Amino acid sequence: MLVHEGETRSPAADRALALSLAGVAGALNTAGFDAVGLYASNMTGNVSAISDRTGTGDLVLAAQACLLVVLFVLGATTSTLMIRCRRRKAGPGAYAYSVCAEAFLLVAVGLLVLPLAEPVRSHTLVLGLSFILGLQNAAVTKISEARVRTTHVTGMITDIGIELARWLDRDASASDRLKPHDPVRLRLYLLTVGAFLGGGLVGVVAYRLVGVALLFAAAAILACLALPALRR
């Protein structure tokens, strides 16, 4: 799942990647939203919030949303640099190192926020998660050549609509030079959205029950996913 990249990946590998990492991302995203009312991975919403809050004069919330966007970008930049550097030495196994880094950072953020009092704890938590999810999204995007995106679902839902249109227009002849319906990709998109939704439901319930321990559980899952690739 974390070794093969691009066109060498099988549909099963893409589905496994989507199911596992979209589930984790959905859980972390809803945990952050439940904690402080801000999304750690929804950059569309955060960019809109910057415009809205700036226009209404709420500069504090505008600054918070801006910081989330910056941290997400920095996470994606860090992940890409890490993968590029590691690939020069170890080939495709570099993606597993990025997932391991995500697990390590989840533990670090969890330990950092544990002694903090509210509301500082919640705000620090969502800021850390934004960086971590930016890191994850860059790694998943690169290894799948953008077929899989795990930290947001706007693109996936759009792709579902496109595939449904192709399915409805499946009687078009080959001479039309139109791309045909791809049921494999449709299943991948549906699985990604479903995993993000299911992970989000689990995440908000778990965060209310165990709090920051959710981050440690997510870190353990990610470490288990990365170990087979690291052993190879």
Side-chain angles (χ1 to χ4, degrees), residues 35-58:
V36 74
L38 295 170
Y39 287 113
S41 67
N42 183 2
M43 294 303 108
T44 303
N46 287 331
V47 170
S48 297
I50 295 171
S51 302
D52 176 70
R53 300 306 180 183
T54 301
T56 57
D58 194 342

PDB file of all heavy atoms in Angstrom, residues 35-58:
ATOM      1  N   ALA A  35     -13.589  19.985  19.318  1.00  0.00           N
ATOM      2  CA  ALA A  35     -12.836  20.648  20.381  1.00  0.00           C
ATOM      3  C   ALA A  35     -12.985  22.156  20.352  1.00  0.00           C
ATOM      4  O   ALA A  35     -13.146  22.804  21.398  1.00  0.00           O
ATOM      5  CB  ALA A  35     -11.361  20.261  20.278  1.00  0.00           C
ATOM      6  N   VAL A  36     -12.926  22.755  19.152  1.00  0.00           N
ATOM      7  CA  VAL A  36     -12.835  24.204  19.096  1.00  0.00           C
ATOM      8  C   VAL A  36     -13.696  24.830  17.994  1.00  0.00           C
ATOM      9  O   VAL A  36     -13.745  26.040  17.839  1.00  0.00           O
ATOM     10  CB  VAL A  36     -11.357  24.625  18.925  1.00  0.00           C
ATOM     11  CG1 VAL A  36     -10.860  24.362  17.529  1.00  0.00           C
ATOM     12  CG2 VAL A  36     -11.125  26.061  19.341  1.00  0.00           C
ATOM     13  N   GLY A  37     -14.378  24.003  17.191  1.00  0.00           N
ATOM     14  CA  GLY A  37     -15.231  24.543  16.143  1.00  0.00           C
ATOM     15  C   GLY A  37     -14.492  24.956  14.893  1.00  0.00           C
ATOM     16  O   GLY A  37     -15.023  25.728  14.086  1.00  0.00           O
ATOM     17  N   LEU A  38     -13.271  24.447  14.708  1.00  0.00           N
ATOM     18  CA  LEU A  38     -12.486  24.738  13.516  1.00  0.00           C
ATOM     19  C   LEU A  38     -12.073  23.428  12.857  1.00  0.00           C
ATOM     20  O   LEU A  38     -11.804  22.440  13.533  1.00  0.00           O
ATOM     21  CB  LEU A  38     -11.233  25.557  13.871  1.00  0.00           C
ATOM     22  CG  LEU A  38     -11.460  26.968  14.416  1.00  0.00           C
ATOM     23  CD1 LEU A  38     -10.155  27.539  14.942  1.00  0.00           C
ATOM     24  CD2 LEU A  38     -12.045  27.876  13.346  1.00  0.00           C
ATOM     25  N   TYR A  39     -12.037  23.434  11.513  1.00  0.00           N
ATOM     26  CA  TYR A  39     -11.635  22.237  10.785  1.00  0.00           C
ATOM     27  C   TYR A  39     -10.124  22.237  10.564  1.00  0.00           C
ATOM     28  O   TYR A  39      -9.550  23.229  10.116  1.00  0.00           O
ATOM     29  CB  TYR A  39     -12.342  22.171   9.434  1.00  0.00           C
ATOM     30  CG  TYR A  39     -13.806  21.811   9.525  1.00  0.00           C
ATOM     31  CD1 TYR A  39     -14.793  22.728   9.180  1.00  0.00           C
ATOM     32  CD2 TYR A  39     -14.191  20.549   9.961  1.00  0.00           C
ATOM     33  CE1 TYR A  39     -16.134  22.397   9.259  1.00  0.00           C
ATOM     34  CE2 TYR A  39     -15.536  20.217  10.053  1.00  0.00           C
ATOM     35  CZ  TYR A  39     -16.499  21.138   9.701  1.00  0.00           C
ATOM     36  OH  TYR A  39     -17.825  20.815   9.798  1.00  0.00           O
ATOM     37  N   ALA A  40      -9.508  21.103  10.860  1.00  0.00           N
ATOM     38  CA  ALA A  40      -8.058  20.981  10.679  1.00  0.00           C
ATOM     39  C   ALA A  40      -7.676  20.703   9.236  1.00  0.00           C
ATOM     40  O   ALA A  40      -6.533  20.956   8.846  1.00  0.00           O
ATOM     41  CB  ALA A  40      -7.515  19.868  11.582  1.00  0.00           C
ATOM     42  N   SER A  41      -8.597  20.183   8.435  1.00  0.00           N
ATOM     43  CA  SER A  41      -8.222  19.787   7.073  1.00  0.00           C
ATOM     44  C   SER A  41      -9.085  20.400   5.980  1.00  0.00           C
ATOM     45  O   SER A  41      -8.787  20.216   4.805  1.00  0.00           O
ATOM     46  CB  SER A  41      -8.281  18.259   6.937  1.00  0.00           C
ATOM     47  OG  SER A  41      -9.617  17.795   7.032  1.00  0.00           O
ATOM     48  N   ASN A  42     -10.133  21.103   6.327  1.00  0.00           N
ATOM     49  CA  ASN A  42     -11.016  21.698   5.321  1.00  0.00           C
ATOM     50  C   ASN A  42     -10.509  23.095   4.971  1.00  0.00           C
ATOM     51  O   ASN A  42     -10.954  24.100   5.525  1.00  0.00           O
ATOM     52  CB  ASN A  42     -12.449  21.758   5.846  1.00  0.00           C
ATOM     53  CG  ASN A  42     -13.418  22.308   4.811  1.00  0.00           C
ATOM     54  OD1 ASN A  42     -13.041  22.606   3.683  1.00  0.00           O
ATOM     55  ND2 ASN A  42     -14.679  22.449   5.201  1.00  0.00           N
ATOM     56  N   MET A  43      -9.586  23.159   4.024  1.00  0.00           N
ATOM     57  CA  MET A  43      -8.986  24.448   3.692  1.00  0.00           C
ATOM     58  C   MET A  43      -9.940  25.346   2.906  1.00  0.00           C
ATOM     59  O   MET A  43      -9.824  26.569   2.965  1.00  0.00           O
ATOM     60  CB  MET A  43      -7.693  24.235   2.911  1.00  0.00           C
ATOM     61  CG  MET A  43      -6.597  23.570   3.714  1.00  0.00           C
ATOM     62  SD  MET A  43      -6.182  24.473   5.241  1.00  0.00           S
ATOM     63  CE  MET A  43      -6.882  23.389   6.505  1.00  0.00           C
ATOM     64  N   THR A  44     -10.899  24.773   2.193  1.00  0.00           N
ATOM     65  CA  THR A  44     -11.908  25.587   1.516  1.00  0.00           C
ATOM     66  C   THR A  44     -12.696  26.390   2.539  1.00  0.00           C
ATOM     67  O   THR A  44     -12.891  27.608   2.401  1.00  0.00           O
ATOM     68  CB  THR A  44     -12.858  24.708   0.696  1.00  0.00           C
ATOM     69  OG1 THR A  44     -12.109  23.943  -0.241  1.00  0.00           O
ATOM     70  CG2 THR A  44     -13.874  25.563  -0.051  1.00  0.00           C
ATOM     71  N   GLY A  45     -13.134  25.715   3.578  1.00  0.00           N
ATOM     72  CA  GLY A  45     -13.874  26.392   4.628  1.00  0.00           C
ATOM     73  C   GLY A  45     -13.029  27.424   5.354  1.00  0.00           C
ATOM     74  O   GLY A  45     -13.515  28.513   5.699  1.00  0.00           O
ATOM     75  N   ASN A  46     -11.754  27.101   5.578  1.00  0.00           N
ATOM     76  CA  ASN A  46     -10.890  28.036   6.300  1.00  0.00           C
ATOM     77  C   ASN A  46     -10.578  29.283   5.466  1.00  0.00           C
ATOM     78  O   ASN A  46     -10.537  30.397   5.999  1.00  0.00           O
ATOM     79  CB  ASN A  46      -9.594  27.332   6.705  1.00  0.00           C
ATOM     80  CG  ASN A  46      -9.815  26.343   7.833  1.00  0.00           C
ATOM     81  OD1 ASN A  46     -10.706  26.502   8.657  1.00  0.00           O
ATOM     82  ND2 ASN A  46      -9.014  25.297   7.867  1.00  0.00           N
ATOM     83  N   VAL A  47     -10.348  29.098   4.168  1.00  0.00           N
ATOM     84  CA  VAL A  47     -10.100  30.257   3.311  1.00  0.00           C
ATOM     85  C   VAL A  47     -11.356  31.124   3.252  1.00  0.00           C
ATOM     86  O   VAL A  47     -11.280  32.373   3.292  1.00  0.00           O
ATOM     87  CB  VAL A  47      -9.666  29.811   1.901  1.00  0.00           C
ATOM     88  CG1 VAL A  47      -9.640  30.995   0.946  1.00  0.00           C
ATOM     89  CG2 VAL A  47      -8.295  29.154   1.948  1.00  0.00           C
ATOM     90  N   SER A  48     -12.532  30.497   3.168  1.00  0.00           N
ATOM     91  CA  SER A  48     -13.783  31.260   3.187  1.00  0.00           C
ATOM     92  C   SER A  48     -13.950  31.996   4.511  1.00  0.00           C
ATOM     93  O   SER A  48     -14.438  33.130   4.559  1.00  0.00           O
ATOM     94  CB  SER A  48     -14.975  30.328   2.955  1.00  0.00           C
ATOM     95  OG  SER A  48     -14.910  29.732   1.681  1.00  0.00           O
ATOM     96  N   ALA A  49     -13.521  31.336   5.611  1.00  0.00           N
ATOM     97  CA  ALA A  49     -13.626  31.974   6.921  1.00  0.00           C
ATOM     98  C   ALA A  49     -12.725  33.198   7.013  1.00  0.00           C
ATOM     99  O   ALA A  49     -13.082  34.192   7.658  1.00  0.00           O
ATOM    100  CB  ALA A  49     -13.263  30.975   8.011  1.00  0.00           C
ATOM    101  N   ILE A  50     -11.552  33.139   6.374  1.00  0.00           N
ATOM    102  CA  ILE A  50     -10.664  34.305   6.368  1.00  0.00           C
ATOM    103  C   ILE A  50     -11.373  35.499   5.729  1.00  0.00           C
ATOM    104  O   ILE A  50     -11.368  36.616   6.268  1.00  0.00           O
ATOM    105  CB  ILE A  50      -9.358  33.985   5.612  1.00  0.00           C
ATOM    106  CG1 ILE A  50      -8.555  32.915   6.348  1.00  0.00           C
ATOM    107  CG2 ILE A  50      -8.512  35.250   5.455  1.00  0.00           C
ATOM    108  CD1 ILE A  50      -7.374  32.392   5.558  1.00  0.00           C
ATOM    109  N   SER A  51     -12.001  35.247   4.577  1.00  0.00           N
ATOM    110  CA  SER A  51     -12.718  36.323   3.887  1.00  0.00           C
ATOM    111  C   SER A  51     -13.881  36.836   4.720  1.00  0.00           C
ATOM    112  O   SER A  51     -14.066  38.054   4.893  1.00  0.00           O
ATOM    113  CB  SER A  51     -13.227  35.826   2.535  1.00  0.00           C
ATOM    114  OG  SER A  51     -12.163  35.370   1.728  1.00  0.00           O
ATOM    115  N   ASP A  52     -14.673  35.897   5.246  1.00  0.00           N
ATOM    116  CA  ASP A  52     -15.876  36.282   5.991  1.00  0.00           C
ATOM    117  C   ASP A  52     -15.521  37.051   7.252  1.00  0.00           C
ATOM    118  O   ASP A  52     -16.090  38.115   7.531  1.00  0.00           O
ATOM    119  CB  ASP A  52     -16.678  35.019   6.334  1.00  0.00           C
ATOM    120  CG  ASP A  52     -17.880  35.331   7.194  1.00  0.00           C
ATOM    121  OD1 ASP A  52     -18.831  35.944   6.680  1.00  0.00           O
ATOM    122  OD2 ASP A  52     -17.865  34.975   8.393  1.00  0.00           O
ATOM    123  N   ARG A  53     -14.585  36.512   8.040  1.00  0.00           N
ATOM    124  CA  ARG A  53     -14.239  37.153   9.313  1.00  0.00           C
ATOM    125  C   ARG A  53     -13.536  38.487   9.099  1.00  0.00           C
ATOM    126  O   ARG A  53     -13.729  39.427   9.882  1.00  0.00           O
ATOM    127  CB  ARG A  53     -13.358  36.210  10.135  1.00  0.00           C
ATOM    128  CG  ARG A  53     -14.005  34.881  10.476  1.00  0.00           C
ATOM    129  CD  ARG A  53     -15.350  35.077  11.166  1.00  0.00           C
ATOM    130  NE  ARG A  53     -15.972  33.805  11.502  1.00  0.00           N
ATOM    131  CZ  ARG A  53     -17.167  33.665  12.053  1.00  0.00           C
ATOM    132  NH1 ARG A  53     -17.876  34.751  12.318  1.00  0.00           N
ATOM    133  NH2 ARG A  53     -17.670  32.480  12.337  1.00  0.00           N
ATOM    134  N   THR A  54     -12.736  38.579   8.055  1.00  0.00           N
ATOM    135  CA  THR A  54     -12.084  39.856   7.767  1.00  0.00           C
ATOM    136  C   THR A  54     -13.124  40.895   7.365  1.00  0.00           C
ATOM    137  O   THR A  54     -13.078  42.059   7.798  1.00  0.00           O
ATOM    138  CB  THR A  54     -11.041  39.689   6.652  1.00  0.00           C
ATOM    139  OG1 THR A  54     -10.065  38.720   7.054  1.00  0.00           O
ATOM    140  CG2 THR A  54     -10.340  41.005   6.363  1.00  0.00           C
ATOM    141  N   GLY A  55     -14.064  40.477   6.535  1.00  0.00           N
ATOM    142  CA  GLY A  55     -15.103  41.400   6.086  1.00  0.00           C
ATOM    143  C   GLY A  55     -16.012  41.878   7.192  1.00  0.00           C
ATOM    144  O   GLY A  55     -16.518  43.008   7.152  1.00  0.00           O
ATOM    145  N   THR A  56     -16.238  41.011   8.199  1.00  0.00           N
ATOM    146  CA  THR A  56     -17.119  41.394   9.307  1.00  0.00           C
ATOM    147  C   THR A  56     -16.349  42.002  10.476  1.00  0.00           C
ATOM    148  O   THR A  56     -16.949  42.346  11.502  1.00  0.00           O
ATOM    149  CB  THR A  56     -17.902  40.165   9.812  1.00  0.00           C
ATOM    150  OG1 THR A  56     -16.983  39.141  10.210  1.00  0.00           O
ATOM    151  CG2 THR A  56     -18.821  39.638   8.730  1.00  0.00           C
ATOM    152  N   GLY A  57     -15.037  42.115  10.326  1.00  0.00           N
ATOM    153  CA  GLY A  57     -14.244  42.764  11.357  1.00  0.00           C
ATOM    154  C   GLY A  57     -13.774  41.872  12.477  1.00  0.00           C
ATOM    155  O   GLY A  57     -13.165  42.348  13.443  1.00  0.00           O
ATOM    156  N   ASP A  58     -14.021  40.560  12.388  1.00  0.00           N
ATOM    157  CA  ASP A  58     -13.571  39.626  13.425  1.00  0.00           C
ATOM    158  C   ASP A  58     -12.165  39.140  13.067  1.00  0.00           C
ATOM    159  O   ASP A  58     -11.963  38.030  12.570  1.00  0.00           O
ATOM    160  CB  ASP A  58     -14.543  38.448  13.520  1.00  0.00           C
ATOM    161  CG  ASP A  58     -14.340  37.639  14.788  1.00  0.00           C
ATOM    162  OD1 ASP A  58     -13.257  37.763  15.401  1.00  0.00           O
ATOM    163  OD2 ASP A  58     -15.242  36.872  15.160  1.00  0.00           O
TER     164      ASP A  58
END
